Amino acid sequence: MFSLMANCCNWMKRWREPARKVTLLMVGLDNAGKTATVRGIQGENPQDVAPTVGFSKVDLKQGKFEVTIFDLGGGKRIRGIWKNYYSESYGVVFVVDSSDVQRIQETREAMAEVLQHPRIAGKPVLVLANKQDQEGALAEADIIENLSLEKLVNENKCLCQIEPCSAVLGYGKKVDKSIKKGLNWLLGNIAKDYEAITERVQKDTAEQRALEEQDKKERAERVRRIREEREREEREEAEREGRNIQEEEPDEENIQSPFQPIGDVICENEDKEKERMRHRPPQEDEEEEDEEEAAVDDARQTSAAAAAAAEQGRKKTSKLHLKRKHRVDPLRLEDGPAESRTPPPPPVGWATPKVSRLPKLEPLGDSRHSEFYKKPLPPVANRPQPNGDAHDIVV
């Protein structure tokens, strides 16, 4: 009876507890199925997933946990950013492509690098042996042997669970049971040591931020030294050549940023307006009041005139409105002589060419006529030839 009451009290205590915030990392080689797994857990279709460039963040509710999953890209060039997320992670989900036997050695090296990091060692790790639906996929025992999983887990003191699964067989409530089982195992182990892991996460995050700030200061110091050295060399060279030394540009820290919050600008303008109104003489106040009253009167008169014009327009339109029963009488020609309209000019065509169409004929240079001009032709005469056989025609 007492045990039953104690269990009920513990259950009520857990039920009233607020949701715990947990951050998980989803890592693995490229094309291992990380994004498909996250989509399946989230309730989206895991088919036709594009490769992750950089990382993607997913927030979901899992039982009494508010889970944030960072899906990190698995390409060789992007694996260097994984370490930037180790400090804030409560656990790791490492996805393995069971069907890619040729890259199993590369997978082992990547997993060893993750588990050996001081900010991951000791945290729970879930290994998902994905793509079990494909032909030639390695079994659970083969993956443990090829990855040297027992050795890595024992050396780094990490709680580990491996689950063979297939992320594309279902999603949402129909997600692969192995994925759901592995996620529940990971969150359950995090819940057992939640306070300790939270304290460690906060400590690691603070240390990482301090290191980042230190690196930023060192980088700024290096840039400053390089700039000073370059300016000194330019100054010496200018002195040798006798040139004028350019004035140094003002420091960027002393320059006021032109981009300010709009709220600050509005408050500043309002303060200036209040100050101006406070120091203004009363004469100006009276003048402004008179101007405002005149403007109001003008507006009233304008609105009244507009209303009258609109009313008159409505009356005119009502008078000009024709009904269907109204008839239109034909035009009577006997009332008056029809006005004669001016006929249109004839069209310009081939029969009436324009003057500009033909070129003007110019007289020839020599205007003298020949001796036969306007004279008749001589008659034709037949003269007998000496031999009497032929006749010559003389013209």
Side-chain angles (χ1 to χ4, degrees):
M1 183 67 179
F2 289 105
S3 61
L4 180 61
M5 290 294 295
N7 291 334
C8 290
C9 291
N10 291 333
W11 180 82
M12 289 293 295
K13 184 179 178 180
R14 288 196 302 270
W15 181 72
R16 290 183 178 180
E17 285 181 356
R20 296 177 173 180
K21 296 183 179 181
V22 172
T23 302
L24 302 178
L25 295 186
M26 183 84 69
V27 293
L29 301 188
D30 51 316
N31 199 32
K34 302 182 293 298
T35 306
T37 304
V38 172
R39 283 195 175 185
I41 297 172
Q42 195 179 7
E44 298 180 0
N45 193 348
Q47 300 289 343
D48 300 331
V49 176
T52 303
V53 179
F55 75 95
S56 61
K57 180 182 176 183
V58 176
D59 297 322
L60 52 92
K61 187 74 178 293
Q62 192 75 14
K64 282 293 182 180
F65 292 94
E66 293 180 359
V67 184
T68 300
I69 301 178
F70 285 103
D71 177 18
L72 306 180
K76 287 185 178 180
R77 298 181 179 180
I78 207 170
R79 292 176 199 168
I81 70 169
W82 290 2
K83 60 184 179 182
N84 299 331
Y85 299 88
Y86 290 164
S87 60
E88 53 185 324
S89 66
Y90 285 70
V92 178
V93 180
F94 200 99
V95 183
V96 181
D97 187 356
S98 305
S99 62
D100 195 354
V101 183
Q102 298 178 355
R103 302 180 67 188
I104 197 68
Q105 181 66 21
E106 185 180 357
T107 304
R108 189 183 71 81
E109 294 174 359
M111 180 178 289
E113 186 177 355
V114 172
L115 297 183
Q116 289 172 1
H117 199 279
R119 289 176 181 163
I120 292 294
K123 295 180 180 179
V125 178
L126 172 64
V127 180
L128 295 178
N130 194 23
K131 301 186 181 182
Q132 290 289 323
D133 57 318
Q134 296 188 10
E135 186 178 356
L138 296 175
E140 179 180 351
D142 297 333
I143 292 175
I144 294 173
E145 182 181 355
N146 289 315
L147 296 180
S148 303
L149 196 56
E150 292 183 358
K151 181 181 178 181
L152 291 175
V153 168
N154 294 330
E155 287 178 353
N156 301 288
K157 299 178 182 180
C158 295
L159 293 174
C160 184
Q161 176 83 356
I162 183 169
E163 292 290 342
C165 63
S166 179
V168 297
L169 294 183
Y171 57 94
K173 294 183 179 180
K174 296 182 180 180
V175 71
D176 194 343
K177 294 181 180 179
S178 298
I179 297 176
K180 190 181 296 184
K181 179 182 176 182
L183 189 61
N184 291 333
W185 173 88
L186 183 60
L187 294 176
N189 282 275
I190 291 173
K192 291 178 182 178
D193 298 330
Y194 183 76
E195 287 76 12
I197 297 176
T198 303
E199 184 178 356
R200 179 181 174 183
V201 165
Q202 293 175 355
K203 180 182 177 182
D204 292 346
T205 305
E207 291 178 356
Q208 183 173 352
R209 289 177 180 173
L211 289 175
E212 289 177 356
E213 289 293 331
Q214 185 67 22
D215 293 342
K216 186 178 180 180
K217 291 180 180 179
E218 292 177 357
R219 195 181 308 112
E221 183 66 21
R222 288 196 301 270
V223 172
R224 187 185 63 81
R225 287 200 299 267
I226 293 171
R227 184 182 300 171
E228 289 179 355
E229 183 68 20
R230 185 175 64 250
E231 290 177 356
R232 185 180 61 81
E233 293 177 356
E234 291 178 357
R235 194 180 301 109
E236 293 176 355
E237 184 179 357
E239 290 177 357
R240 286 195 301 268
E241 296 179 357
R243 292 185 288 103
N244 294 329
I245 302 174
Q246 296 180 356
E247 296 181 359
E248 295 183 356
E249 297 180 357
D251 192 3
E252 294 179 357
E253 297 179 356
N254 299 328
I255 299 176
Q256 186 178 4
S257 175
F259 303 101
Q260 299 179 6
I262 188 64
D264 298 346
V265 177
I266 294 173
C267 293
E268 185 178 354
N269 293 337
E270 289 179 353
D271 296 339
K272 289 181 180 178
E273 184 66 20
K274 290 179 181 177
E275 188 69 20
R276 190 180 67 82
M277 295 288 290
R278 189 181 300 110
H279 295 288
R280 189 176 54 180
Q283 255 183 359
E284 295 184 3
D285 295 341
E286 295 177 359
E287 291 177 358
E288 285 194 0
E289 290 178 359
D290 295 340
E291 290 178 359
E292 289 179 359
E293 291 178 359
V296 171
D297 294 339
D298 293 343
R300 289 176 180 173
Q301 293 176 3
T302 307
S303 60
E311 184 67 23
Q312 188 177 1
R314 283 197 295 271
K315 290 180 179 179
K316 287 183 179 180
T317 52
S318 61
K319 287 181 181 180
L320 296 175
H321 181 69
L322 297 177
K323 297 182 180 180
R324 290 186 177 180
K325 62 182 180 180
H326 291 172
R327 295 179 58 187
V328 179
D329 297 331
L331 182 64
R332 296 180 180 180
L333 299 177
E334 59 270 10
D335 293 344
E339 297 181 358
S340 60
R341 297 180 60 186
T342 305
V348 179
W350 184 258
T352 57
K354 289 185 179 180
V355 178
S356 59
R357 288 187 179 182
L358 298 176
K360 186 177 179 180
L361 298 178
E362 299 291 339
L364 297 175
D366 188 7
S367 59
R368 293 178 300 174
H369 302 289
S370 64
E371 56 183 356
F372 299 106
Y373 180 70
K374 292 185 177 181
K375 291 183 180 180
L377 293 175
V380 179
N382 295 328
R383 296 179 182 180
Q385 297 298 328
N387 52 10
D389 295 330
H391 298 279
D392 292 333
I393 299 174
V394 179
V395 179

